[in-house]
Amino acid sequence: RFPTTPVYIGEYHRIGGNQVEDVGLVLSSAQQYPLFLGISFFQYQVAYWKAGSERDFGMFALSSSSLGTFDYFGTTFNLYCLEPQLDDHSGMEMPSAVSNVYGGSGVDYSSLCLRSPEIVALDVSGYSEILAQSSVSKMVGFIERLVHHMGAIVTPGFEDTLHTFAQGFVDGSSGGFEDLASALGSQPSWIDFDSHAKCVASRSVQ
């Protein structure tokens, strides 16, 4: 009845199938038939609030390892690491199987349980957690967050300077956290500090 209506499948996942072969076949059909626009693979994480076979769809499960806690409308929850589910028929982790078919680079599983520069404490303990990862990009994220906490931003166009600055702390040539804090506090030219910024504390806040 609708011969010219485009079709897109918003939730697709054939349980029990070889995801490399099955999703590959579906995407090939989407390339062959113009009215078939494709699919959204279902789903990202196991739906633990459901039961039975409804829990078979997730590409990732929650591991027993917790990175910490977070507050959600007054209730505290654990923040668990993700672990990939196995696609038994292809012999691959499901995220890798799906990304392989789509032509993506996939997920670096080794980074799933590493502390993010977005959530670590902005002190020597958080710095140490990021330093232990030996990642310049993670150190860049930590420094940027520290700069924002100081009421400043990295001046546009100075991203390479920030990268070089971060590299010095990753390889140890620039010292440790105290040296980092001191260097940022000296207000280097590649950081834009707002001279009119004010900090107002409300003593009534509980």
Side-chain angles (χ1 to χ4, degrees), residues 80-98:
Y80 290 104
C81 296
L82 293 175
E83 58 182 18
Q85 297 283 75
L86 182 66
D87 175 29
D88 293 325
H89 294 274
S90 71
M92 301 173 65
E93 280 95 357
M94 199 175 301
S96 296
V98 174

Side-chain angles (χ1 to χ4, degrees), residues 46-70:
V46 174
Y48 289 99
W49 62 92
K50 297 181 179 179
S53 61
E54 289 294 321
R55 292 191 177 187
D56 294 337
F57 291 97
M59 290 190 291
F60 290 98
L62 298 181
S63 75
S64 59
S65 177
S66 174
L67 290 174
T69 60
F70 66 95

Side-chain angles (χ1 to χ4, degrees), residues 122-164:
L122 291 175
D123 56 20
V124 66
S125 65
Y127 172 83
S128 297
E129 289 184 274
I130 298 303
L131 182 63
Q133 300 177 35
S134 300
S135 168
V136 176
S137 63
K138 292 290 184 66
M139 186 60 73
V140 165
F142 179 81
I143 293 172
E144 280 193 299
R145 185 164 159 244
L146 192 56
V147 167
H148 294 165
H149 186 72
M150 298 170 68
I153 62 169
V154 175
T155 305
F158 282 83
E159 291 78 12
D160 288 344
T161 303
L162 170 60
H163 187 277
T164 302

Side-chain angles (χ1 to χ4, degrees), residues 2-8 26-39:
F2 306 99
T4 61
T5 302
V7 175
Y8 178 81
V26 173
L27 295 184
S28 295
S29 297
Q31 292 179 324
Q32 183 178 359
Y33 302 104
L35 291 178
F36 182 25
L37 302 183
I39 64 170

